[in-house]
Amino acid sequence: MPVTRRFFLGLGGGAAAAGITYLITTTPPWWWAVGLTVAVFIWFGELILDLVIP
């Protein structure tokens, strides 16, 4: 997958996860943490899978 496509997919997925978390709890550290975690997993997921599954 191209880098820019993965970036925007991570950005959208992180924003969606943060938005859903914000609906559940409005405590800022939680929805920020969830959004960033989802975005990082999408951005670096291919690299993580290459390291875990040789």
Side-chain angles (χ1 to χ4, degrees), residues 11-47:
L11 192 64
I20 292 169
T21 306
Y22 185 78
L23 290 174
I24 296 170
T25 176
T26 57
T27 308
W30 285 113
W31 59 272
W32 273 106
V34 169
L36 285 174
T37 302
V38 168
V40 166
F41 276 137
I42 292 174
W43 290 332
F44 298 108
E46 189 173 328
L47 176 64

